[in-house]
Amino acid sequence: MYDIIIIGAGPAGLTSAIYAKRASKSVLVLEAKAYGGQIINTPDIENYPVAAHISGFEFATKVYEQAQALGAEFVFEKAVDIRDLGDIKEVVTESNVYQAKAVIIATGSENRKLGVEREDELVGRGISYCATCDGAFYRKKSVAVVGGGNTALEDALYLADIAEKVYIIHRRDEFRGEDATVKSLKERENVEFVLNSQVVKLNADKRLESIEVLNKDGSTRVIEVKGLFVAVGRIPENQNFGKVVNLDQSGYIVAGEDCTTNAKGIFVAGDNRVKNVRQLVTATADGAVAVSEAVKYINNL
Ligand code: NAP
């Protein structure tokens, strides 16, 4: 029996582990994949206080090591269910059942697909969801990035240093991501903005050869690219928890800034909850808040 089980070892989960250990609670962190969450795909973090530049991987590794040093236990198993038995919560993984007084769900989100025909078939053969992982394969080649959020903008900037040409394709003419990054992209000679446009077709034999883009005005354009980096947002990874906590219509866990859910003793931290600003700094902040509420809850049991 643990005091707190944290589901997910991204920035929110790892920060929760640090705060919970510092509150002298026993902590188990369950992670389905590898520690770090989506931030490990960010090449260069420039907006987190203290470091002007740090890679997502280095950031995640430092926080993981900090949580481990404080005594948080880590088990790499996927949580598939939470059973709310009142004062005891059971977290069911694919191979075990763990018990705790409180649970923090910090599962983050996964890549949203474009939904274009042949997208799945061409993953690894031209289609990628991770510029830092796959960008180096496209040295001196033409690539495109789809999306208008920070991920797409940062990916395009990263790829502009590697690829011969980078097209940034966005369905509107305004970006959701930061103005400063848009400005940096505009200064790059090898970056072309393709706005008010959607990718509608992938042309490939064995590998991606070109993409067809449909403009809002009805015109189409074929762009020759060897790589298409899809950065069209994320889907919250709450599919297994909809029975115990309320989700909104997009699948995010309904919770306010105090990170408490409708289920007593079950908390949420990070990108998988309803919130306005999904940033590294707000994910880590959620970790601190969720633990503070969890500790209050446990101490009142
Ligand atoms: P996002 O902000 O949700 O942006 C997704 C983008 O994809 C939007 O521009 C959206 O267009 C577009 N889109 C969605 N579905 C599409 C479709 N089917 N076809 C074409 N375009 C589509 O996602 P994100 O960029 O992955 O960022 C997720 C969160 O992480 C954000 O809060 C972001 O600020 C944060 N983030 C932070 C950092 C950092 O702190 N350094 C780095 C990366 C990401 P519309 O704009 O038209 O809706």
Side-chain angles (χ1 to χ4, degrees):
M1 169 77 113
Y2 292 89
D3 290 318
I4 304 178
I5 291 178
I6 297 161
I7 307 175
L14 291 173
T15 307
S16 300
I18 291 169
Y19 272 78
K21 284 310 300 178
R22 287 176 53 83
S24 302
K25 300 297 175 200
S26 59
V27 173
L28 173 67
V29 183
L30 294 170
E31 167 56 54
K33 297 171 195 144
Y35 71 81
Q38 62 166 310
I39 201 67
I40 57 167
N41 297 326
T42 297
D44 189 16
I45 303 166
E46 295 182 347
N47 57 3
Y48 196 83
V50 168
H53 295 274
I54 184 168
S55 77
F57 180 74
E58 192 187 350
F59 176 88
T61 303
K62 280 180 188 283
V63 190
Y64 175 61
E65 287 172 355
Q66 194 178 350
Q68 261 189 330
L70 286 165
E73 288 176 44
F74 286 82
V75 168
F76 289 86
E77 292 174 14
K78 183 178 171 67
V80 293
D81 197 9
I82 300 172
R83 296 183 197 136
D84 188 351
L85 311 177
D87 289 353
I88 296 174
K89 318 291 175 195
E90 286 185 342
V91 180
V92 183
T93 69
E94 281 161 337
S95 41
N96 286 298
V97 177
Y98 299 93
Q99 290 191 328
K101 295 174 187 164
V103 174
I104 297 173
I105 307 173
T107 41
S109 52
E110 64 184 345
N111 297 318
R112 176 179 291 121
K113 303 237 166 126
L114 258 189
V116 180
E117 213 174 309
R118 300 190 68 187
E119 183 175 357
D120 287 344
E121 175 202 331
L122 292 169
V123 171
R125 291 191 287 133
I127 302 285
S128 171
Y129 300 87
C130 176
T132 31
C133 318
D134 300 329
F137 296 123
Y138 299 91
R139 195 166 295 282
K140 306 266 176 249
K141 294 182 176 152
S142 286
V143 298
V145 177
V146 198
N150 277 320
T151 303
L153 297 176
E154 289 179 12
D155 283 0
L157 206 49
Y158 176 73
L159 290 164
D161 285 335
I162 299 172
E164 182 177 68
K165 169 109 192 190
V166 180
Y167 297 90
I168 176 145
I169 300 165
H170 180 36
R171 62 185 179 185
R172 294 186 294 133
D173 59 1
E174 276 179 5
F175 287 95
R176 209 173 267 274
E178 284 181 24
D179 291 343
T181 321
V182 175
K183 191 167 169 278
S184 302
L185 282 167
K186 285 187 173 156
E187 285 162 6
R188 299 299 186 103
E189 281 179 2
N190 64 340
V191 174
E192 181 178 334
F193 289 78
V194 182
L195 302 179
N196 294 317
S197 299
Q198 298 245 44
V199 177
V200 288
K201 195 166 173 229
L202 307 173
N203 298 316
D205 180 15
K206 286 190 181 137
R207 296 190 55 87
L208 185 71
E209 298 294 342
S210 65
I211 54 176
E212 194 171 308
V213 171
L214 173 66
N215 191 282
K216 267 185 185 162
D217 66 11
S219 63
T220 57
R221 173 180 173 190
V222 174
I223 304 175
E224 285 189 14
V225 286
K226 297 287 183 215
L228 178 66
F229 290 86
V230 179
V232 294
R234 319 271 315 168
I235 297 172
E237 296 213 58
N238 294 326
Q239 297 87 344
N240 293 327
F241 313 122
K243 276 189 297 179
V244 281
V245 289
N246 291 339
L247 307 182
D248 76 357
Q249 57 187 13
S250 303
Y252 290 94
I253 295 175
V254 178
E257 291 301 315
D258 64 1
C259 298
T260 57
T261 71
N262 59 298
K264 282 197 169 47
I266 303 181
F267 305 86
V268 58
D271 279 6
N272 57 323
R273 81 167 170 90
V274 171
K275 57 159 75 180
N276 291 329
V277 183
R278 291 194 173 85
Q279 291 286 300
L280 185 53
V281 73
T282 60
T284 55
D286 272 11
V289 175
V291 168
S292 151
E293 292 297 323
V295 168
K296 262 193 262 167
Y297 166 83
I298 291 169
N299 290 346
N300 282 327
L301 280 177

